Amino acid sequence: MGLGHPGQLAFAALMFLANPASTTATRADEVVTDPLLQKRILKLRKTLPTAPEAAAMDEAQQLEQLRLQSALDRQSKTFQALSNIMKKKSDSEAAIIGNLK
């Protein structure tokens, strides 16, 4: 089986998903015989964040989402206030014009 064999790739992917924190390729030497595929699996594992890193990223993302939501709320309130002011001004101008007629 070469690197491109679908069965070997699928099996390697399933083994990787079953144990992503492992520093070995889930016994890649016993399961995956292609050395290039073994290297790719190990490289992919090294790029995955650890559980504490993932939790910290989740917290940071939640904080950023809250900041963004807060900014959007402030912007919405500002636009609503400007809209109310413009409506009052328009109503006042209409009333003045109506009184002049």
Side-chain angles (χ1 to χ4, degrees):
M1 277 188 233
L3 178 61
H5 188 276
Q8 186 180 20
L9 289 173
F11 185 73
L14 288 173
M15 293 302 292
F16 171 75
L17 292 173
N19 190 7
S22 173
T23 58
T24 65
T26 58
R27 301 183 189 261
D29 54 337
E30 297 173 12
V31 177
V32 179
T33 58
D34 190 324
L36 182 58
L37 185 56
Q38 289 177 356
K39 287 179 184 177
R40 287 183 179 176
I41 291 171
L42 290 173
K43 184 177 178 182
L44 181 60
R45 282 212 176 109
K46 290 178 183 176
T47 62
L48 291 175
T50 62
E53 289 172 338
M57 286 187 338
D58 287 343
E59 288 176 19
Q61 289 172 343
Q62 288 176 353
L63 285 173
E64 186 61 29
Q65 188 174 8
L66 286 173
R67 285 187 200 119
L68 179 60
Q69 185 64 43
S70 177
L72 289 172
D73 287 343
R74 284 193 310 271
Q75 182 185 31
S76 176
K77 288 177 183 177
T78 301
F79 282 129
Q80 186 63 43
L82 287 173
S83 176
N84 291 344
I85 291 169
M86 290 171 62
K87 174 115 172 71
K88 290 268 188 190
K89 182 182 178 223
S90 176
D91 291 347
S92 297
E93 289 171 348
I96 291 171
I97 291 171
N99 290 336
L100 292 175
K101 292 183 180 180

